[in-house]
Amino acid sequence: MKRVQMRTGALGAASAAAMAVAGALTTPVAAQGMGDEAALAIEEIVVTAQRREQRIQDVPMAISTLSGDEFETIFLAGEDIRALSARVPALNAESSNGRVAPRFYIRGLGNTDFDLAASQPVLVVIDEVVMENVILKSSPIFDMQGVEVLKGPQGTLFGRNTPAGIVKFETRKPTEELDAYASLTYGNRNTVNAEGAVGGALIPGVLKARVSGLIQRRDDYIDKVVVDEKNAVGGFRDMAGRIQLDFTPTDRFSALAKFHVRDLDSTAALFRANVIAPGGGVVDRFDRDVIFHDSEVNNPQRYNSWGASLRLGYDFDAFTVTTISAFETTDGFSRGDIDGGFTGPNSFFDPANPPQPPFTPDTIAFPSETQDGIDDLDQYTQEIRFASPGDDRFNWQFGAFFFNSDLKITTDPFFVDPSTVLHENTAWALFGHADYEITPRLTVTAGLRYTDDDKDFEVLSSPFFGPTPRNVQDDKLSWDFAVNYALTDQITLYARHARGFRAPTIQGRDVAFDGAPSIAQSETIKSFEGGFKSVLFDNRLSVNAAGYWYEINGQQLTAVGGGDNLIRLVNADRGVGYGFEADARVQIVEGLSATAAFAWTKTELQDDTLAVPPCGSGLCQVVDPLDPNGNALVDGNPFPQAPEYTLYLTARYERPVGEAGLVFVSTDWYVQGETNFFLYNAPEFRTNGNFEGGARAGYVHDGGRYEVSLFARNITDKVNIQGAIDFTALTGYLNEPRTFGVNLTARY
């Protein structure tokens, strides 16, 4: 069995980002002149899912990766982190807050809560630093080595509320040799995506540096017809930068310092009243370039963020020590026209006798506009871990983790004075993880983590409430056990059993609307997973597949919207999910490659007493039974935002031209199956068959140093409803429109 043996810990970690998914970053021209066998072989993927470098086949869990040309293509048109949705098996992402506060779902498990203090079961990690808050999760994606999506509970190594999984990014690190690139994209609506980086040795062998930056912008292009304002909304400007210094004065000690900053000025999510037709789907009269908001304030969204981290490591021969200290801070706000329409002559309707189709954009009960903002968020994390060298039959690591966050949130409903609340969260954990090679083909892995999590909540100012303090605390063990067996040198079988934990949560946004804070108690998850990973036909085909089942006790859920448009935390007795996923990469012939990824997921809420408020407008057709209070009984319903299936396909063809050139054409498509938006079941708030496609064609010269390409994203201009507001109308928010343009890239 072919193995990749590398040192773990501090010094190994410093090189992990440079090697993770490195093969996918090789330019197509580099294969020219190689033998036929090498030219047809797919690249070996190396991951750091277990905090050390390993072949993906040697890690006993489901992992999906994106990098290189595929990763670059997805973000060409100024997309934000939500563009990863459906491009990875069983991953969904959406947001009712625009380019900030994304909500992730893995294998159907996530959280639809739109509050800025929401707890999510999917963790985002960038360069081994936890991004806990929803704003921090929206960090711009640029100069990235790649992304790994780890599925199922990951608490033993990564902690911080990870019952569903992790979206893990690695940025490109400083290199000894001079390394630089610049990429400029220009598209319709004056879309600009410009990024670049330069790095190399400042003191050869001792000090390396890398500086990278990103500018994304688009003009406002949507007219507000009610207030007769042209090109009023829809644009954005997102700027970010990063500096990294890698200091290695000896072969034993390493220090990697990073500082990053972001400045966002954008249009928040645009809600469109009655864009959803009775019975579901998009209304025929829909026009992407028009909205019917009556507010003269154009859904502004502004955030400023910065952060710094320091990773230190020392090699003691018998083991290595790594410490990671990180600080993140952000402040800003989003303001939204929540009703999505305006109050016209037909606005005040009787819910018992609602308007009949065709609807007009002014059929809303009353106007609603809200602003939510973070006055001050400070997050500090500290981790220390000890690890074995990583080249023996027995590999181990253990350590401790500390987390602290202070968060002030102000919500302004505009019909009363704003309310400000304070969230404080302190958590610490002890963890250990080990694997043992029983035979050259059989390896067992086990991990254990003890976590103590404490949250405090207080109302700082409100027209309705005094201080109203709340406190929740819990401590639990998380663990996992896995077996990896190399059936042949090309096929590996694995099985994994894990237990995860999400700490109690306090929800206080309703304070601004005269609603008391709500609390969800801890949830626990047990998960079973089994599958295989393979590289076949002389490394021309890679196929990975997994089946899984999980059960959540005390599942934390958020009842969103309804007639009061409030957020209430609840616990369900039980939630169950199971499914199947597979992905494949194939080099069909020299120059022609393809990938395919498919996931099927079935989820079910199991609580015969759980009832939530249905839509507030009376326009949707709730199919669930109702309790005496008119609330929907949701027992047996799927989890919200849990697609029944996702399918992602890509293909690329390239052909040499002359002695130093190459032309290529590529395409990528995804399809998303039936997806319910809320806990209750109504056809208006359900989608089926959402899809998007993209294409790119270009010319590469001089081994990949220069590249020019034409591209199109959402090439069919498909209108997909990504979520809804079930307040005063059949209101939805949508995907991005078709974007096309040209990209120029130079590498050195």
Side-chain angles (χ1 to χ4, degrees), residues 272-321:
R272 299 173 183 266
N274 296 315
V275 71
I276 302 173
V282 180
V283 294
D284 293 337
R285 58 167 174 75
F286 171 70
D287 184 349
R288 271 193 187 274
D289 297 333
V290 170
I291 58 171
F292 294 85
H293 292 189
D294 53 4
S295 170
E296 295 187 5
V297 180
N298 294 330
N299 275 40
Q301 178 178 85
R302 299 184 183 94
Y303 273 94
N304 293 286
S305 308
W306 66 269
S309 64
L310 178 64
R311 184 171 65 194
L312 303 175
Y314 195 85
D315 189 344
F316 288 95
D317 287 336
F319 62 92
T320 60
V321 180

Short mmCIF file of all heavy atoms in Angstrom, two decimals, residues 272-321:
data_model
loop_
_atom_site.label_atom_id
_atom_site.label_comp_id
_atom_site.label_asym_id
_atom_site.label_seq_id
_atom_site.Cartn_x
_atom_site.Cartn_y
_atom_site.Cartn_z
N ARG A 272 -38.38 40.06 -2.16
CA ARG A 272 -39.33 40.42 -3.22
C ARG A 272 -40.72 39.89 -2.85
O ARG A 272 -40.93 38.68 -2.81
CB ARG A 272 -38.88 39.83 -4.56
CG ARG A 272 -37.52 40.36 -5.01
CD ARG A 272 -37.04 39.61 -6.26
NE ARG A 272 -35.71 40.04 -6.68
CZ ARG A 272 -35.47 40.98 -7.60
NH1 ARG A 272 -36.49 41.61 -8.17
NH2 ARG A 272 -34.24 41.29 -7.93
N ALA A 273 -41.63 40.81 -2.57
CA ALA A 273 -42.98 40.43 -2.17
C ALA A 273 -43.68 39.70 -3.31
O ALA A 273 -43.62 40.11 -4.47
CB ALA A 273 -43.78 41.65 -1.76
N ASN A 274 -44.34 38.60 -2.97
CA ASN A 274 -45.18 37.84 -3.90
C ASN A 274 -44.43 37.40 -5.16
O ASN A 274 -45.02 37.25 -6.23
CB ASN A 274 -46.42 38.66 -4.28
CG ASN A 274 -47.30 38.91 -3.08
OD1 ASN A 274 -47.56 38.01 -2.29
ND2 ASN A 274 -47.73 40.15 -2.91
N VAL A 275 -43.11 37.17 -5.02
CA VAL A 275 -42.37 36.57 -6.13
C VAL A 275 -42.65 35.08 -6.22
O VAL A 275 -42.43 34.46 -7.26
CB VAL A 275 -40.85 36.83 -5.96
CG1 VAL A 275 -40.28 36.01 -4.81
CG2 VAL A 275 -40.10 36.55 -7.24
N ILE A 276 -43.19 34.52 -5.14
CA ILE A 276 -43.54 33.10 -5.11
C ILE A 276 -45.00 32.95 -5.52
O ILE A 276 -45.89 33.62 -4.98
CB ILE A 276 -43.31 32.49 -3.72
CG1 ILE A 276 -41.84 32.67 -3.30
CG2 ILE A 276 -43.72 31.02 -3.69
CD1 ILE A 276 -41.56 32.26 -1.87
N ALA A 277 -45.25 32.09 -6.47
CA ALA A 277 -46.61 31.87 -6.95
C ALA A 277 -47.39 30.97 -6.00
O ALA A 277 -46.80 30.14 -5.30
CB ALA A 277 -46.57 31.25 -8.34
N PRO A 278 -48.71 31.11 -5.92
CA PRO A 278 -49.52 30.17 -5.15
C PRO A 278 -49.27 28.74 -5.63
O PRO A 278 -49.27 28.48 -6.83
CB PRO A 278 -50.96 30.62 -5.44
CG PRO A 278 -50.84 32.05 -5.84
CD PRO A 278 -49.53 32.17 -6.55
N GLY A 279 -49.00 27.86 -4.71
CA GLY A 279 -48.66 26.49 -5.06
C GLY A 279 -47.18 26.27 -5.30
O GLY A 279 -46.73 25.14 -5.47
N GLY A 280 -46.39 27.37 -5.32
CA GLY A 280 -44.94 27.25 -5.44
C GLY A 280 -44.41 27.70 -6.78
O GLY A 280 -45.14 27.84 -7.76
N GLY A 281 -43.11 27.95 -6.85
CA GLY A 281 -42.47 28.41 -8.06
C GLY A 281 -42.45 29.93 -8.16
O GLY A 281 -43.03 30.65 -7.33
N VAL A 282 -41.80 30.44 -9.20
CA VAL A 282 -41.66 31.88 -9.42
C VAL A 282 -42.82 32.37 -10.27
O VAL A 282 -43.21 31.73 -11.25
CB VAL A 282 -40.31 32.19 -10.10
CG1 VAL A 282 -40.16 33.69 -10.33
CG2 VAL A 282 -39.15 31.66 -9.27
N VAL A 283 -43.37 33.54 -9.93
CA VAL A 283 -44.49 34.10 -10.69
C VAL A 283 -44.04 34.46 -12.11
O VAL A 283 -42.88 34.78 -12.35
CB VAL A 283 -45.07 35.35 -9.99
CG1 VAL A 283 -45.71 34.98 -8.67
CG2 VAL A 283 -43.99 36.40 -9.79
N ASP A 284 -44.97 34.44 -13.05
CA ASP A 284 -44.65 34.71 -14.46
C ASP A 284 -44.20 36.14 -14.68
O ASP A 284 -43.40 36.42 -15.56
CB ASP A 284 -45.86 34.40 -15.34
CG ASP A 284 -46.19 32.92 -15.36
OD1 ASP A 284 -45.28 32.12 -15.08
OD2 ASP A 284 -47.35 32.57 -15.64
N ARG A 285 -44.73 37.10 -13.89
CA ARG A 285 -44.47 38.51 -14.14
C ARG A 285 -43.11 38.96 -13.61
O ARG A 285 -42.77 40.13 -13.68
CB ARG A 285 -45.53 39.37 -13.47
CG ARG A 285 -45.60 39.12 -11.98
CD ARG A 285 -46.42 40.14 -11.21
NE ARG A 285 -46.54 39.75 -9.83
CZ ARG A 285 -45.57 39.84 -8.93
NH1 ARG A 285 -44.39 40.28 -9.28
NH2 ARG A 285 -45.77 39.46 -7.69
N PHE A 286 -42.30 38.06 -13.11
CA PHE A 286 -41.07 38.42 -12.42
C PHE A 286 -40.06 39.09 -13.35
O PHE A 286 -39.86 38.68 -14.49
CB PHE A 286 -40.45 37.18 -11.78
CG PHE A 286 -39.08 37.42 -11.23
CD1 PHE A 286 -38.91 38.21 -10.10
CD2 PHE A 286 -37.96 36.90 -11.85
CE1 PHE A 286 -37.64 38.45 -9.60
CE2 PHE A 286 -36.70 37.14 -11.36
CZ PHE A 286 -36.54 37.91 -10.22
N ASP A 287 -39.40 40.13 -12.83
CA ASP A 287 -38.34 40.85 -13.55
C ASP A 287 -37.18 41.05 -12.58
O ASP A 287 -37.33 41.71 -11.56
CB ASP A 287 -38.86 42.19 -14.06
CG ASP A 287 -37.82 42.95 -14.89
OD1 ASP A 287 -36.65 42.54 -14.91
OD2 ASP A 287 -38.19 43.95 -15.52
N ARG A 288 -36.01 40.48 -12.91
CA ARG A 288 -34.85 40.57 -12.03
C ARG A 288 -34.41 42.02 -11.78
O ARG A 288 -33.86 42.34 -10.73
CB ARG A 288 -33.66 39.82 -12.64
CG ARG A 288 -33.56 38.35 -12.28
CD ARG A 288 -32.19 37.87 -12.71
NE ARG A 288 -32.03 36.43 -12.56
CZ ARG A 288 -31.66 35.84 -11.43
NH1 ARG A 288 -31.44 36.56 -10.35
NH2 ARG A 288 -31.51 34.53 -11.39
N ASP A 289 -34.61 42.89 -12.75
CA ASP A 289 -34.05 44.24 -12.70
C ASP A 289 -34.98 45.25 -12.06
O ASP A 289 -34.74 46.45 -12.15
CB ASP A 289 -33.69 44.70 -14.12
CG ASP A 289 -32.60 43.84 -14.73
OD1 ASP A 289 -31.81 43.27 -13.95
OD2 ASP A 289 -32.54 43.73 -15.96
N VAL A 290 -36.04 44.77 -11.38
CA VAL A 290 -37.02 45.66 -10.77
C VAL A 290 -37.40 45.13 -9.39
O VAL A 290 -37.57 43.92 -9.21
CB VAL A 290 -38.28 45.78 -11.65
CG1 VAL A 290 -39.40 46.50 -10.90
CG2 VAL A 290 -37.97 46.51 -12.94
N ILE A 291 -37.51 46.03 -8.41
CA ILE A 291 -38.11 45.68 -7.13
C ILE A 291 -39.14 46.75 -6.77
O ILE A 291 -39.13 47.85 -7.33
CB ILE A 291 -37.08 45.55 -5.99
CG1 ILE A 291 -36.30 46.86 -5.83
CG2 ILE A 291 -36.16 44.37 -6.22
CD1 ILE A 291 -35.43 46.85 -4.60
N PHE A 292 -40.03 46.43 -5.83
CA PHE A 292 -41.14 47.31 -5.47
C PHE A 292 -41.04 47.79 -4.02
O PHE A 292 -42.05 47.99 -3.35
CB PHE A 292 -42.47 46.60 -5.71
CG PHE A 292 -42.72 46.31 -7.17
CD1 PHE A 292 -42.21 45.17 -7.76
CD2 PHE A 292 -43.44 47.20 -7.95
CE1 PHE A 292 -42.42 44.91 -9.10
CE2 PHE A 292 -43.66 46.94 -9.29
CZ PHE A 292 -43.15 45.80 -9.87
N HIS A 293 -39.80 47.98 -3.54
CA HIS A 293 -39.62 48.49 -2.19
C HIS A 293 -40.07 49.95 -2.10
O HIS A 293 -39.79 50.74 -3.01
CB HIS A 293 -38.15 48.40 -1.78
CG HIS A 293 -37.66 46.99 -1.62
ND1 HIS A 293 -36.42 46.69 -1.09
CD2 HIS A 293 -38.22 45.80 -1.92
CE1 HIS A 293 -36.26 45.39 -1.07
NE2 HIS A 293 -37.34 44.82 -1.57
N ASP A 294 -40.72 50.28 -0.98
CA ASP A 294 -41.16 51.66 -0.80
C ASP A 294 -40.21 52.46 0.08
O ASP A 294 -40.35 53.67 0.22
CB ASP A 294 -42.57 51.73 -0.22
CG ASP A 294 -42.71 50.91 1.05
OD1 ASP A 294 -41.70 50.34 1.51
OD2 ASP A 294 -43.84 50.82 1.57
N SER A 295 -39.21 51.79 0.67
CA SER A 295 -38.25 52.50 1.50
C SER A 295 -37.30 53.31 0.62
O SER A 295 -36.87 52.86 -0.43
CB SER A 295 -37.43 51.50 2.34
OG SER A 295 -36.36 52.15 2.97
N GLU A 296 -36.97 54.51 1.09
CA GLU A 296 -36.01 55.33 0.36
C GLU A 296 -34.58 55.04 0.79
O GLU A 296 -33.64 55.63 0.27
CB GLU A 296 -36.34 56.81 0.56
CG GLU A 296 -37.69 57.19 -0.05
CD GLU A 296 -37.94 58.69 -0.01
OE1 GLU A 296 -37.02 59.42 0.40
OE2 GLU A 296 -39.04 59.11 -0.40
N VAL A 297 -34.42 54.15 1.76
CA VAL A 297 -33.10 53.68 2.17
C VAL A 297 -32.85 52.36 1.46
O VAL A 297 -33.64 51.43 1.57
CB VAL A 297 -33.02 53.51 3.70
CG1 VAL A 297 -31.64 53.01 4.11
CG2 VAL A 297 -33.34 54.82 4.39
N ASN A 298 -31.75 52.27 0.74
CA ASN A 298 -31.57 51.18 -0.24
C ASN A 298 -30.88 49.94 0.31
O ASN A 298 -29.82 49.52 -0.17
CB ASN A 298 -30.80 51.72 -1.45
CG ASN A 298 -31.59 52.76 -2.20
OD1 ASN A 298 -32.83 52.73 -2.23
ND2 ASN A 298 -30.89 53.72 -2.79
N ASN A 299 -31.46 49.33 1.35
CA ASN A 299 -30.94 48.08 1.90
C ASN A 299 -29.42 48.10 2.08
O ASN A 299 -28.70 47.22 1.59
CB ASN A 299 -31.33 46.90 0.99
CG ASN A 299 -32.71 46.38 1.29
OD1 ASN A 299 -33.63 47.15 1.56
ND2 ASN A 299 -32.87 45.07 1.25
N PRO A 300 -28.88 49.08 2.78
CA PRO A 300 -27.42 49.15 2.92
C PRO A 300 -26.88 48.05 3.83
O PRO A 300 -27.57 47.58 4.75
CB PRO A 300 -27.20 50.54 3.53
CG PRO A 300 -28.44 50.79 4.31
CD PRO A 300 -29.55 50.18 3.50
N GLN A 301 -25.64 47.69 3.59
CA GLN A 301 -24.95 46.68 4.40
C GLN A 301 -23.47 47.07 4.46
O GLN A 301 -22.82 47.21 3.42
CB GLN A 301 -25.10 45.30 3.77
CG GLN A 301 -24.39 44.19 4.51
CD GLN A 301 -24.64 42.85 3.84
OE1 GLN A 301 -23.95 42.49 2.90
NE2 GLN A 301 -25.65 42.13 4.31
N ARG A 302 -22.96 47.26 5.65
CA ARG A 302 -21.56 47.65 5.80
C ARG A 302 -20.94 46.90 6.98
O ARG A 302 -21.52 46.88 8.06
CB ARG A 302 -21.42 49.16 6.00
CG ARG A 302 -21.96 49.98 4.83
CD ARG A 302 -21.72 51.47 5.01
NE ARG A 302 -22.33 52.21 3.91
CZ ARG A 302 -23.54 52.75 3.94
NH1 ARG A 302 -24.28 52.62 5.03
NH2 ARG A 302 -24.03 53.40 2.90
N TYR A 303 -19.78 46.31 6.75
CA TYR A 303 -19.03 45.64 7.80
C TYR A 303 -17.54 45.89 7.64
O TYR A 303 -17.02 45.93 6.51
CB TYR A 303 -19.31 44.13 7.80
CG TYR A 303 -20.53 43.77 8.61
CD1 TYR A 303 -21.77 43.64 8.01
CD2 TYR A 303 -20.44 43.58 9.98
CE1 TYR A 303 -22.90 43.33 8.74
CE2 TYR A 303 -21.57 43.27 10.73
CZ TYR A 303 -22.79 43.14 10.11
OH TYR A 303 -23.90 42.84 10.85
N ASN A 304 -16.88 46.07 8.77
CA ASN A 304 -15.43 46.17 8.81
C ASN A 304 -14.92 45.10 9.78
O ASN A 304 -15.43 45.00 10.92
CB ASN A 304 -14.97 47.55 9.28
CG ASN A 304 -15.31 48.64 8.29
OD1 ASN A 304 -14.68 48.75 7.25
ND2 ASN A 304 -16.32 49.45 8.60
N SER A 305 -13.93 44.35 9.33
CA SER A 305 -13.41 43.26 10.14
C SER A 305 -11.89 43.21 10.03
O SER A 305 -11.32 43.62 9.01
CB SER A 305 -13.98 41.91 9.67
OG SER A 305 -15.38 41.92 9.59
N TRP A 306 -11.26 42.73 11.08
CA TRP A 306 -9.84 42.41 11.00
C TRP A 306 -9.51 41.33 12.00
O TRP A 306 -10.26 41.09 12.94
CB TRP A 306 -8.95 43.65 11.20
CG TRP A 306 -9.01 44.28 12.57
CD1 TRP A 306 -9.83 45.27 12.98
CD2 TRP A 306 -8.17 43.95 13.69
NE1 TRP A 306 -9.57 45.59 14.29
CE2 TRP A 306 -8.55 44.81 14.75
CE3 TRP A 306 -7.14 43.03 13.90
CZ2 TRP A 306 -7.94 44.75 16.00
CZ3 TRP A 306 -6.53 42.98 15.15
CH2 TRP A 306 -6.93 43.84 16.18
N GLY A 307 -8.41 40.69 11.77
CA GLY A 307 -8.00 39.62 12.66
C GLY A 307 -6.52 39.35 12.54
O GLY A 307 -5.87 39.74 11.56
N ALA A 308 -5.98 38.68 13.55
CA ALA A 308 -4.56 38.34 13.56
C ALA A 308 -4.39 37.00 14.25
O ALA A 308 -5.16 36.64 15.16
CB ALA A 308 -3.75 39.41 14.28
N SER A 309 -3.40 36.25 13.81
CA SER A 309 -3.11 34.96 14.43
C SER A 309 -1.61 34.73 14.44
O SER A 309 -0.86 35.26 13.61
CB SER A 309 -3.81 33.81 13.69
OG SER A 309 -3.33 33.69 12.37
N LEU A 310 -1.17 33.91 15.39
CA LEU A 310 0.24 33.55 15.51
C LEU A 310 0.32 32.07 15.82
O LEU A 310 -0.21 31.61 16.84
CB LEU A 310 0.91 34.36 16.63
CG LEU A 310 2.38 34.03 16.90
CD1 LEU A 310 3.24 34.35 15.68
CD2 LEU A 310 2.89 34.77 18.14
N ARG A 311 0.97 31.33 14.93
CA ARG A 311 1.18 29.89 15.13
C ARG A 311 2.65 29.65 15.41
O ARG A 311 3.52 29.99 14.59
CB ARG A 311 0.74 29.10 13.90
CG ARG A 311 0.85 27.59 14.09
CD ARG A 311 0.21 26.84 12.94
NE ARG A 311 0.91 27.07 11.69
CZ ARG A 311 0.40 26.76 10.50
NH1 ARG A 311 -0.82 26.26 10.41
NH2 ARG A 311 1.10 26.97 9.40
N LEU A 312 2.94 29.09 16.57
CA LEU A 312 4.30 28.78 16.98
C LEU A 312 4.48 27.28 17.08
O LEU A 312 3.55 26.57 17.51
CB LEU A 312 4.62 29.42 18.33
CG LEU A 312 4.45 30.94 18.45
CD1 LEU A 312 4.69 31.39 19.88
CD2 LEU A 312 5.38 31.67 17.49
N GLY A 313 5.66 26.79 16.70
CA GLY A 313 5.91 25.37 16.80
C GLY A 313 7.35 25.06 17.14
O GLY A 313 8.26 25.81 16.75
N TYR A 314 7.53 23.97 17.89
CA TYR A 314 8.88 23.53 18.22
C TYR A 314 8.95 22.02 18.15
O TYR A 314 8.05 21.31 18.63
CB TYR A 314 9.30 24.00 19.61
CG TYR A 314 10.79 23.89 19.82
CD1 TYR A 314 11.64 24.91 19.40
CD2 TYR A 314 11.35 22.76 20.41
CE1 TYR A 314 13.02 24.81 19.57
CE2 TYR A 314 12.71 22.64 20.59
CZ TYR A 314 13.55 23.67 20.16
OH TYR A 314 14.91 23.56 20.32
N ASP A 315 10.01 21.53 17.53
CA ASP A 315 10.23 20.10 17.33
C ASP A 315 11.20 19.59 18.40
O ASP A 315 12.37 19.99 18.43
CB ASP A 315 10.79 19.87 15.93
CG ASP A 315 10.85 18.39 15.57
OD1 ASP A 315 10.76 17.55 16.48
OD2 ASP A 315 11.00 18.09 14.37
N PHE A 316 10.70 18.69 19.27
CA PHE A 316 11.52 18.10 20.32
C PHE A 316 12.00 16.69 19.98
O PHE A 316 12.33 15.91 20.86
CB PHE A 316 10.74 18.05 21.64
CG PHE A 316 10.55 19.39 22.28
CD1 PHE A 316 9.40 20.12 22.07
CD2 PHE A 316 11.53 19.92 23.11
CE1 PHE A 316 9.21 21.36 22.68
CE2 PHE A 316 11.35 21.16 23.72
CZ PHE A 316 10.19 21.88 23.50
N ASP A 317 12.02 16.34 18.71
CA ASP A 317 12.39 15.00 18.22
C ASP A 317 11.30 13.98 18.57
O ASP A 317 10.68 13.40 17.68
CB ASP A 317 13.74 14.55 18.77
CG ASP A 317 14.90 15.26 18.12
OD1 ASP A 317 14.73 15.75 16.98
OD2 ASP A 317 15.97 15.35 18.75
N ALA A 318 11.06 13.75 19.86
CA ALA A 318 10.08 12.74 20.25
C ALA A 318 8.66 13.23 20.03
O ALA A 318 7.73 12.43 19.88
CB ALA A 318 10.27 12.36 21.71
N PHE A 319 8.47 14.53 20.01
CA PHE A 319 7.15 15.10 19.77
C PHE A 319 7.32 16.55 19.34
O PHE A 319 8.41 17.15 19.47
CB PHE A 319 6.25 15.01 21.00
CG PHE A 319 6.76 15.77 22.18
CD1 PHE A 319 6.38 17.09 22.41
CD2 PHE A 319 7.64 15.17 23.09
CE1 PHE A 319 6.86 17.79 23.49
CE2 PHE A 319 8.12 15.87 24.19
CZ PHE A 319 7.73 17.19 24.39
N THR A 320 6.24 17.15 18.83
CA THR A 320 6.23 18.57 18.49
C THR A 320 5.15 19.27 19.30
O THR A 320 4.15 18.66 19.70
CB THR A 320 5.97 18.78 16.99
OG1 THR A 320 4.70 18.22 16.65
CG2 THR A 320 7.05 18.14 16.13
N VAL A 321 5.37 20.54 19.52
CA VAL A 321 4.40 21.38 20.22
C VAL A 321 3.95 22.48 19.27
O VAL A 321 4.79 23.13 18.63
CB VAL A 321 4.99 22.00 21.50
CG1 VAL A 321 3.95 22.87 22.19
CG2 VAL A 321 5.49 20.92 22.43
#
